[in-house]
Amino acid sequence: MRLQNKTAWITGAGQGIGEAVARRFAAEGANVALTDVNPETLEMVARDLGPNAAAFPADVTSKEQVAAAVKGILERFGRLDILIANAGVTRDGLALRMSEANWDLVVDVSLKGTFLCCQAAMRPMMEAKSGRIVTTASVASLGNPGQVNYSAAKAGIIGLTRTLALELAPFGIQVNCVAPGAIDTPMLQAVKEPVREEMLKRIPAKRFGQPEDVAAAHLFFCSDQAAYVTGQVLFVDGGLTTGI
Ligand SMILES: NC(=O)c1ccc[n+]([C@@H]2O[C@H](COP(=O)([O-])OP(=O)(O)OC[C@H]3O[C@@H](n4cnc5c(N)ncnc54)[C@H](O)[C@@H]3O)[C@@H](O)[C@H]2O)c1
């Protein structure tokens, strides 16, 4: 039990990687505070995890809703030790045809949403003089045709992570980033089959990652084993970004 007596706030927890993190962290003894914009899936995950889990539905792009979630978490669990800023969306398209709406949505959810959640979580963490924040980038942060919005948002998250790591280190707060490759979640399942086949060919490990593979990296960053690790980006991608 590596997270006994800890309270972890996980965004995008209604499915996919966020749900896997919630399940893994609950199994490690944490109280899990779950946020998602979809209240139905969120309630199902929270109910399934039992009394040490609670749902705080919110849209991470809304400062008011994010603040209300943190207030609710502190009222319910009395503390906030960990933030997993995981919520994200894709709206793919070539740059020439990218609509302003799809640019705004993807950048708002991933980049602004991550910032707002970090900003709301850092105050109680600073008061406690301890905390762990894990943000979510992607292999797409290195560049991916058809994802100019997503790639820019995810690269921005790496800059945000490194800057927050520097600002928050004196307060005992560590900020790291997990950058998944192609992980078998509803987000990847929405990609057309021929594109998925091409993606698979490029993965040295010859399989898509499972959400649990990514949750294991989150657990490392939030465990005592990572006591001296901050500002780092861990690619969980089966070797996709290794080599030329
Ligand atoms: N699956 C992959 O291959 C992959 C690869 C690299 C990075 N990622 C990143 O990992 C994270 C999780 O991805 P996933 O594959 O589990 O995606 P997913 O689409 O399966 O789940 C994302 C969850 O975020 C929620 N969400 C969306 N917008 C939100 C908002 N405004 N406020 C609150 N919640 C919101 C959704 O309702 C959903 O439950 C995302 O940041 C994604 O960009 C995923």
Side-chain angles (χ1 to χ4, degrees), residues 23 41 57 70 123 131:
R23 292 187 183 281
T41 53
V70 170
R123 189 176 296 278

Side-chain angles (χ1 to χ4, degrees), residues 7-33:
T7 296
W9 178 29
I10 301 151
T11 71
Q15 64 182 38
I17 293 168
E19 178 185 356
V21 174
R23 292 187 183 281
R24 183 70 201 269
F25 279 25
E28 295 286 346
N31 292 319
V32 287

Side-chain angles (χ1 to χ4, degrees), residues 12 15 17 36-37 58-60 86 136-137 150 154 180-181 183 185 187:
Q15 64 182 38
I17 293 168
D36 203 288
V37 75
D59 181 336
V60 297
N86 164 78
T136 307
Y150 187 73
K154 294 303 193 180
I183 310 299
T185 69
M187 183 180 277

